Amino acid sequence: MCDVCGCGQHDHSHEHDHFVVSDDTTKRNVEIKKSLLSENERVAQSNREHFDRHGILAINLISSPGSGKTTLLEKTVEALKDELKIGVLEGDIETERDAERVRAKGAAAVQLTTGGACHLEAPLVHKGFHALEKQMEGYPDILFIENVGNLVCPSSFYLGEHIRVVLISVPEGEDKPAKYPKAFKTSDVFIITKSDLLPYFDFDVEKVKKEALSLNPNLKIFVLSAKTGEGLEDWFNFLREKVQEKKAAKVEG
Amino acid sequence: MHETSIAMGLLDSLNQMAEREKAKKVLKVRVKIGKLSGIVVDSFVFAFNALKEQFPKLSKTELIVEETPILYRCNECGKEFEVETVFFPECPQCGSINLKLLSGEELEVVDAEIEV
Ligand SMILES: Nc1nc2c(ncn2[C@@H]2O[C@H](COP(=O)(O)OP(=O)(O)O)[C@@H](O)[C@H]2O)c(=O)[nH]1
Ligand SMILES: [Mg+2]
Ligand SMILES: [Zn+2]
Ligand SMILES: [Zn+2]
Ligand SMILES: [Zn+2]
Ligand SMILES: [Zn+2]
């Protein structure tokens, strides 16, 4: 099934560090030139291959705590559960609450508790995904990974996702793209949530969009409210389309 | 907090390297950490030193951190400049925010010295 654990052929890295200097017989310099995150990246790559093999679209959601990730997932599950199989991995520092919330709406969900860590890493996603496979007795069409609420370090840890989504809620303020450039630079989608609150806050949507696009011109942007439903249909259509693309790619491959 | 898991990842990969190279000990390791990488260098060094005891071949490894500056080049006027803050800057010469990041995001293990 997958290359990380016993469920696939165990493949330890093929890269070999090569020697550059060999000055005396007891000391030697080894050139490494690898990312400090290379172990995470190796597992993430294998997660990605695992998702691809089963035609699963994997989406990593990144935001501050309280931006509305779980609420958006609840609405998404409600709307799409009859047409798509949805699996959710819920990253949290300690509680089970978010997994229960999305399960109550009809999705399979596994809670990943990081035990204090402020971000998800690929090996935990790998383990969680196997638990989800068991729970579903099969594979989802979409896998949502709700990262730990934090706009800083989750953007440094690739999990194997196809689409990374960064969310900002209207009450958080319009300076977020400038303050957290990395989250915006590494994402594919930017969602402005809680648009129902726009009348009560100084939040200039066009200005924020422009700023986000100046950091990353390829961002696809949604403005929506899980409360009123505004903008949700565009988001659902985007997901439908991406699932179709994924399925088509699997058939070809 | 993620400094700890990154330090652990580095120790794991050094330990694998030491096995592969049949090293008795790893004497030194050099890493480059950019000021935009989100790593707090002091916490990282602290975690590395606290955790290295668990690995016999790494218990004396000296960690050398090279902090790389945040450098941008302005795409409008070509000015290159260094900033201290992680906030997205504008060009000090022409005010543009159309900038290319030249350095600052590094997170790299450069090399190591081993005893064989
Ligand atoms: N007004 C408004 N509140 C929302 C909306 N979406 C979520 N919330 C509220 O924001 C709070 C945090 O939401 P939650 O989904 O738990 O955020 P998470 O931490 O990102 O998962 C909850 O009290 C939600 O009811 C929205 O579209 N409009
Ligand atoms: Mg949540
Ligand atoms: Zn599998
Ligand atoms: Zn596995
Ligand atoms: Zn973290
Ligand atoms: Zn300029």
Side-chain angles (χ1 to χ4, degrees):
Chain A
M1 290 200 308
C2 91
D3 300 332
V4 173
C5 64
C7 68
Q9 60 280 48
H10 209 105
D11 179 24
H12 264 163
S13 90
H14 296 291
E15 329 152 40
H16 291 276
D17 308 323
H18 49 275
F19 327 117
V20 177
V21 206
S22 187
D23 39 15
D24 67 50
T25 48
T26 60
K27 279 188 197 172
R28 203 165 70 195
N29 202 66
V30 182
E31 183 174 281
I32 298 179
K33 295 240 186 268
K34 273 204 285 195
S35 163
L36 262 175
L37 304 177
S38 59
E39 182 56 18
N40 183 74
E41 266 144 36
R42 185 181 71 81
V43 177
Q45 204 48 50
S46 140
N47 286 347
R48 166 87 170 223
E49 283 158 20
H50 193 178
F51 301 148
D52 286 341
R53 210 170 311 144
H54 299 295
I56 300 161
L57 176 71
I59 301 181
N60 181 5
L61 303 170
I62 295 181
S63 82
S64 305
S67 298
K69 298 182 293 301
T70 311
T71 311
L72 180 61
L73 287 180
E74 289 175 308
K75 293 290 172 189
T76 305
V77 170
E78 253 173 10
L80 300 181
K81 69 176 175 210
D82 293 332
E83 50 184 297
L84 298 172
K85 276 181 286 173
I86 302 178
V88 182
L89 297 178
E90 281 288 352
D92 204 322
I93 294 180
E94 78 281 357
T95 73
E96 267 279 332
R97 222 174 302 131
D98 284 355
E100 280 159 20
R101 281 171 59 188
V102 293
R103 236 180 263 132
K105 299 293 177 188
V110 168
Q111 188 76 46
L112 308 175
T113 43
T114 63
C118 43
H119 60 268
L120 289 177
E121 291 180 22
L124 187 59
V125 166
H126 163 243
K127 259 185 21 203
F129 185 71
H130 281 312
L132 194 69
E133 284 175 331
K134 278 218 185 91
Q135 193 186 114
M136 300 186 79
E137 296 177 351
Y139 304 101
D141 300 307
I142 304 189
L143 172 69
F144 288 107
I145 306 167
E146 179 177 334
N147 220 304
V148 178
N150 175 355
L151 262 182
V152 186
C153 50
S155 53
S156 298
F157 293 87
Y158 178 46
L159 303 176
E161 72 270 18
H162 302 99
I163 298 176
R164 183 175 292 184
V165 179
V166 56
L167 304 90
I168 298 289
S169 66
V170 165
E172 286 171 68
E174 54 188 27
D175 58 351
K176 286 293 182 296
K179 280 190 178 165
Y180 301 98
K182 190 155 188 196
F184 286 81
K185 282 185 187 168
T186 62
S187 290
D188 308 289
V189 172
F190 170 31
I191 303 183
I192 298 171
T193 61
K194 309 192 190 181
S195 63
D196 57 290
L197 298 177
L198 279 170
Y200 313 104
F201 289 87
D202 277 335
F203 189 101
D204 182 340
V205 172
E206 288 314 310
K207 186 173 148 210
V208 174
K209 279 187 180 173
K210 205 172 139 219
E211 196 149 78
L213 289 171
S214 80
L215 291 170
N216 178 356
N218 299 317
L219 279 175
K220 170 120 181 94
I221 304 180
F222 296 91
V223 181
L224 53 81
S225 164
K227 191 168 176 183
T228 63
E230 181 197 357
L232 286 181
E233 203 51 46
D234 287 345
W235 165 243
F236 299 153
N237 285 335
F238 171 78
L239 294 173
R240 289 183 178 108
E241 195 180 296
K242 290 292 168 188
V243 168
Q244 286 317 316
E245 281 174 21
K246 195 84 225 142
K247 299 281 174 214
K250 192 195 167 202
V251 171
E252 283 165 28
Chain B
M1 184 65 210
H2 66 295
E3 283 77 8
T4 311
S5 61
I6 294 174
M8 197 63 197
L10 171 59
L11 287 161
D12 269 335
S13 72
L14 280 178
N15 199 43
Q16 283 173 28
M17 180 277 289
E19 297 289 337
R20 202 162 53 228
E21 303 297 337
K22 307 201 171 15
K24 291 200 192 81
K25 276 183 168 31
V26 179
L27 303 171
K28 283 181 193 162
V29 58
R30 258 190 328 145
V31 303
K32 262 189 201 167
I33 297 182
K35 289 187 176 171
L36 265 185
S37 67
I39 304 273
V40 180
V41 172
D42 287 347
S43 317
F44 178 68
V45 173
F46 179 82
F48 182 91
N49 289 325
L51 295 166
K52 68 183 182 185
E53 314 288 336
Q54 302 170 23
F55 302 85
K57 293 182 180 195
L58 308 179
S59 60
K60 297 275 186 301
T61 306
E62 182 191 354
L63 173 62
I64 300 161
V65 178
E66 183 189 331
E67 268 192 280
T68 52
I70 307 172
L71 269 181
Y72 286 96
R73 186 194 304 123
C74 176
N75 286 332
E76 304 288 340
C77 75
K79 168 126 185 117
E80 287 185 12
F81 59 99
E82 186 181 332
V83 291
E84 285 300 324
T85 121
V86 299
F87 298 111
F88 198 70
E90 48 185 56
C91 173
Q93 189 160 285
C94 75
S96 168
I97 60 162
N98 178 7
L99 308 171
K100 179 172 169 53
L101 185 65
L102 299 178
S103 115
E105 286 184 325
E106 295 80 0
L107 262 184
E108 192 194 20
V109 193
V110 183
D111 59 6
E113 192 177 293
I114 58 176
E115 189 184 301
V116 286

